[in-house]
């Protein structure tokens, strides 16, 4: 067993059957100054942000502002920062790179080809994420298995080969109802687009509400037939580590 695998196994054992707050506090203590949580202000991200903010857990909180977000996303960003007196660091696309891309391809070129869409995601998301994760040992995400088929293969703790760090998905096995109940019971700010049928909320040109019975990721890049991922969470898993399901009772604030 490698050093990384040993570390992942140890973390798995330490957070087993403990509430979200204690799990986040434990990881922050194990890697002081090297833990970062990325939020896109979706419902599950708001659960984690609530716990971090209310309990003043010492970890960096950041978001990727692509320049094409919904106004409702900016509204919940502001409300969240104010509610928890929390600094949320923004990371933006490189100005020159996005200017050149739009000049060459067009402002809505993502609709013309999958390659264009992926290049847009790379400039607006992947490159800023690389900057945000510099010096980070543990990347905390709001990824949940219920969000897509691809994410059902994820683990609570896994090695992200692309970014060379540990990825911690504390809500991986939480259901939609678990998350919604937490937000309602704790009066957590949330994106009002969720009330209009938006499950996954990204850039405005690339996100729509979903219809009854559709896959949760159907509202992302709906015009193309490809995997519904932008590249942020297409990790290579090093160790096959499984964890018991988190339940609503684990989501203590």
């Amino acid at each position: 067993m490698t050093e990384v695998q040993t570390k992942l196994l140890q973390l798995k054992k330490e957070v087993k059957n403990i509430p979200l707050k204690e799990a986040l506090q434990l990881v922050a203590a194990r890697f002081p100054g090297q833990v970062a949580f990325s939020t896109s202000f979706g419902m599950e991200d708001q659960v984690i942000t609530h716990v971090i903010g209310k309990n003043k857990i010492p970890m960096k909180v950041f978001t990727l502002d692509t320049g094409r977000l919904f106004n409702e996303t900016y509204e919940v960003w502001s409300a969240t920062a104010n509610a928890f007196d929390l600094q949320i660091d923004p990371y933006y696309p490189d100005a020159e790179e996005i200017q050149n891309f739009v000049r060459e391809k067009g402002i809505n070129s993502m609709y013309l080809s999958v390659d264009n869409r992926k290049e847009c995601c790379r400039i607006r998301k992947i490159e800023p994420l690389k900057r945000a994760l510099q010096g980070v040992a543990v990347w905390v995400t709001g990824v949940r298995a219920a969000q897509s088929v691809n994410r059902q293969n994820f683990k609570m703790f896994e090695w992200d080969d692309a970014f060379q760090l540990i990825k911690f998905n504390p809500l991986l096995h939480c259901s939609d109802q678990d998350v919604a109940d937490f937000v309602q019971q704790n009066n957590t700010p949330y994106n009002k687009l969720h009330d209009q049928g938006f499950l996954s909320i990204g850039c405005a040109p690339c996100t729509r509400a979903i219809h009854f019975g559709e896959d949760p990721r159907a509202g992302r890049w709906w015009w193309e037939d490809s995997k519904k991922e932008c590249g942020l969470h297409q990790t290579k898993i090093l160790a096959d580590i499984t964890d018991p399901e988190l339940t609503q009772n684990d989501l203590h604030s």
Side-chain angles (χ1 to χ4, degrees):
M1 184 177 294
T2 68
E3 181 180 351
V4 171
Q5 288 173 321
T6 300
K7 187 176 295 185
L8 293 173
L9 186 60
Q10 182 62 33
L11 286 169
K12 174 203 169 183
K13 291 179 178 178
E14 289 181 320
V15 304
K16 184 177 182 179
N17 296 330
I18 65 175
L20 177 61
K21 179 180 75 173
E22 280 76 5
L24 292 170
Q25 288 173 328
L26 185 150
V27 171
R30 288 285 183 275
F31 302 88
Q34 295 181 293
V35 181
F37 167 56
S38 60
T39 177
S40 59
F41 305 102
M43 194 83 78
E44 46 280 309
D45 289 338
Q46 290 302 98
V47 170
I48 297 174
T49 303
H50 183 118
V51 174
I52 292 173
K54 181 178 179 180
N55 298 285
K56 305 302 178 186
I57 299 175
M59 66 175 64
K60 170 181 174 179
V61 179
F62 72 90
T63 191
L64 308 178
D65 187 347
T66 65
R68 304 295 306 266
L69 302 180
F70 288 94
N71 187 58
E72 288 85 349
T73 300
Y74 292 110
E75 289 175 352
V76 73
W77 178 348
S78 177
T80 302
N82 291 333
F84 302 111
D85 189 26
L86 182 67
Q87 178 176 316
I88 302 174
D89 295 330
Y91 285 82
Y92 298 93
D94 178 80
E96 183 174 2
E97 190 169 15
I98 197 62
Q99 285 170 188
N100 291 338
F101 175 76
V102 172
R103 183 182 299 114
E104 178 184 349
K105 302 289 187 178
I107 189 63
N108 283 333
S109 64
M110 73 285 293
Y111 298 130
L112 302 179
S113 74
V114 173
D115 287 342
N116 281 356
R117 192 269 291 176
K118 290 183 176 180
E119 179 66 2
C120 189
C121 286
R122 183 191 68 77
I123 296 171
R124 295 183 186 275
K125 295 182 178 182
I126 306 302
E127 292 304 321
L129 180 63
K130 288 179 180 178
R131 285 185 267 118
L133 293 178
Q134 287 180 1
V136 171
V138 180
W139 174 19
V140 181
T141 86
V143 165
R144 293 188 299 115
Q147 292 170 326
S148 71
V149 173
N150 176 58
R151 297 180 182 193
Q152 290 173 10
N153 295 320
F154 286 17
K155 310 300 176 185
M156 189 77 73
F157 287 98
E158 57 196 12
W159 178 252
D160 191 302
D161 197 46
F163 295 105
Q164 293 291 296
L165 47 67
I166 294 171
K167 199 171 180 182
F168 178 32
N169 308 311
L171 301 186
L172 185 66
H173 300 297
C174 288
S175 69
D176 294 344
Q177 193 62 53
D178 291 334
V179 171
D181 287 347
F182 179 97
V183 168
Q184 182 178 24
Q185 293 166 10
N186 292 279
N187 197 29
T188 304
Y190 72 94
N191 195 319
K192 300 308 179 184
L193 290 174
H194 288 305
D195 295 334
Q196 301 176 32
F198 286 77
L199 294 188
S200 174
I201 303 172
C203 294
C206 299
T207 310
R208 66 162 172 79
I210 69 167
H211 305 299
F212 180 77
E214 282 190 311
D215 183 271
R217 296 287 288 182
R220 300 300 290 274
W221 311 295
W222 66 92
W223 64 89
E224 65 180 49
D225 183 19
S226 66
K227 293 181 179 179
K228 302 298 183 178
E229 299 287 352
C230 63
L232 297 185
H233 298 297
Q234 289 182 321
T235 188
K236 294 180 180 178
I237 299 171
L238 178 64
D240 183 18
I241 292 179
T242 57
D243 289 86
E245 290 191 354
L246 284 176
T247 65
Q248 185 180 340
N249 294 330
D250 295 310
L251 299 179
H252 299 310
S253 58

